Amino acid sequence: MKLTITRPDDWHLHLRDGDMLKGILPETTRDFGRAIIMPNLVPPVVTGVQATAYRGRIQAALPKGSRFTPLMTLYLTNTTNADDVAAAHAFGQITAVKLYPAGATTNSDSGVTDIEKVMPVLEKMAEIGLPLCVHGEVTYPSVDIFDREAVFIERVLAPLRTRLPALKIIMEHVTTEDGVDYVNSAKNTAATLTTHHLIINRNHLLVGGIKPHYYCLPIAKREAHRLALVNAATSGNPKFFLGTDSAPHSDPAKESACGCAGVFSATNTMSCLAHVFENAGALDKLEAFTSLNGPAFYGLPPNADKITLTKQTTPVPYPAKIETGAGPVTVFDPGFPLYWHVA
Ligand code: NCD
Ligand code: ZN
């Protein structure tokens, strides 16, 4: 069996920097044409000049002959200046701005503490058509970690949506049925879905021993939510597209008494997705999810070239770990053999 589709893009990706970047970049560039590059470096990417310098480091690390295009983002902080953001957009330095609520996830200490503080920037973005990528979780200690997405929608996202109807918002890595329903109901709003949230629920993370390589934020939820995500992804609805949130951490950082959040799925994402879509009887919707809906929402053309997925009769071998100069990085284990591969 063969399936030829427009080359996919990854609308939410962590590439890190230095030796980690060099080690893991080929895992993405093998299959993907473009990716939205997350700005949560230490320190974060907050200016157009920093975004351009980071793009340069990514381009310098590209495998020979690669035509991969990194699409850069700025990390929104309480002190981000609206005119600086508009200038970075006008100079072609950035494709989107990322909102992390302070303390929500890995390297989000510089994030926004109160949406009021960034309203001038968001108003400017609405005016110039620059999309906002949102990590949709509240961080109040009083809110249970499994409820953080639903509470964010109610307290932060829905009011913001009403206040700035023209702002293009991408709710990143939606993990709940509440998120899917909200995105379906809201104008000018789309969502990315990760590979791993289509495959694992919280039992995979916690039953039979804790699995640090399944720990990511937002945390995997119960099975009913996973099913809602699969329905959204395989529906063909243009509001939903792939953002792997592939987020490498070295094994010692994951396998620790206080392990980092992040699942690394760049290596086998297309194999995993073909499996999920085939199981849902929706292989014909895979291209929309991975290659068409994302560019349409961002106002970009789809990639001009194609990839071919082939289904073989024996499991596709892929490395359990990627060895990098910053240590080994464990590849996402879907928990079942994969038969599809990009030829
Ligand atoms: C991401 C990371 O490691 O940078 N981790 C994660 O669990 N997804 C941060 C993020 O996108 O939340
Ligand atoms: Zn992420």
Side-chain angles (χ1 to χ4, degrees):
M1 276 171 84
K2 277 188 191 306
L3 179 66
T4 297
I5 61 170
T6 300
R7 183 176 293 284
D9 300 306
D10 186 347
W11 298 96
H12 179 137
L13 177 66
H14 299 268
L15 286 179
R16 316 300 190 205
D17 216 338
D19 287 342
M20 182 62 89
L21 167 65
K22 289 191 186 78
I24 54 94
L25 184 57
E27 301 306 300
T28 284
T29 60
R30 198 174 296 134
D31 295 344
F32 292 91
R34 297 167 289 194
I36 285 277
I37 310 302
M38 287 295 125
N40 63 332
L41 302 182
V42 186
V45 178
V46 294
T47 68
V49 170
Q50 288 170 343
T52 300
Y54 184 28
R55 176 176 14 223
R57 298 197 295 280
I58 295 167
Q59 282 166 335
L62 283 175
K64 239 192 156 110
S66 169
R67 303 216 312 261
F68 176 79
T69 304
L71 305 172
M72 308 312 293
T73 61
L74 290 187
Y75 188 117
L76 190 59
T77 74
N78 285 345
T79 57
T80 302
N81 177 279
D83 293 331
D84 291 350
V85 170
H89 173 62
F91 291 143
Q93 293 171 315
I94 56 167
T95 303
V97 171
K98 174 78 187 222
L99 166 68
Y100 287 102
T105 186
T106 313
N107 304 335
S108 65
D109 301 345
S110 318
V112 171
T113 55
D114 175 3
I115 204 92
E116 285 308 321
K117 296 204 197 292
V118 295
M119 277 315 285
V121 180
L122 301 181
E123 279 160 12
K124 176 63 85 175
M125 289 170 60
E127 186 189 313
I128 63 180
L130 180 60
L132 179 71
C133 298
V134 177
H135 182 111
E137 291 192 289
V138 293
T139 57
Y140 321 127
S142 57
V143 177
D144 189 275
I145 187 168
F146 290 99
D147 299 334
R148 290 181 166 203
E149 183 169 295
V151 175
F152 182 89
I153 292 168
E154 185 194 310
R155 299 208 197 147
V156 184
L157 190 55
L160 173 65
R161 183 66 297 170
T162 311
R163 210 160 146 187
L164 284 178
L167 181 64
K168 270 194 197 183
I169 298 180
I170 300 111
M171 198 181 164
E172 304 270 39
H173 42 51
V174 164
T175 59
T176 58
E177 187 169 20
D178 315 62
V180 169
D181 289 349
Y182 177 74
V183 168
N184 267 321
S185 74
K187 287 214 176 71
N188 244 346
T189 308
T192 56
L193 296 165
T194 77
T195 308
H196 53 281
H197 287 116
L198 296 176
I199 294 175
I200 60 163
N201 63 35
R202 64 196 203 180
N203 277 16
H204 295 96
L205 171 67
L206 295 169
V207 173
I210 191 159
K211 314 295 187 311
H213 295 289
Y214 289 158
Y215 174 59
C216 70
L217 292 170
I219 199 155
K221 308 297 192 298
R222 58 172 69 240
E223 178 65 1
H225 292 295
R226 187 190 72 83
L227 292 172
L229 306 182
V230 172
N231 273 337
T234 59
S235 66
N237 183 335
K239 283 174 164 285
F240 297 96
F241 41 88
L242 174 64
T244 64
D245 195 14
S246 184
H249 294 276
S250 71
D251 283 352
K254 294 284 299 172
E255 298 165 7
S256 148
C258 184
C260 294
V263 167
F264 179 72
S265 62
T267 305
N268 55 6
T269 272
M270 290 308 296
S271 298
C272 289
L273 291 175
H275 183 107
V276 168
F277 277 63
E278 184 180 35
N279 269 5
L283 267 179
D284 60 323
K285 302 291 194 318
L286 182 64
E287 182 180 41
F289 182 67
T290 62
S291 318
L292 304 178
N293 297 348
F297 190 79
Y298 273 89
L300 296 168
N303 290 313
D305 58 337
K306 310 256 178 205
I307 63 163
T308 296
L309 287 140
T310 307
K311 189 179 182 186
Q312 55 183 53
T313 50
T314 51
V316 181
Y318 60 86
K321 293 175 194 301
I322 304 298
E323 298 296 338
T324 80
V329 175
T330 291
V331 174
F332 174 60
D333 174 7
F336 43 75
L338 296 168
Y339 296 93
W340 288 93
H341 70 105
V342 179

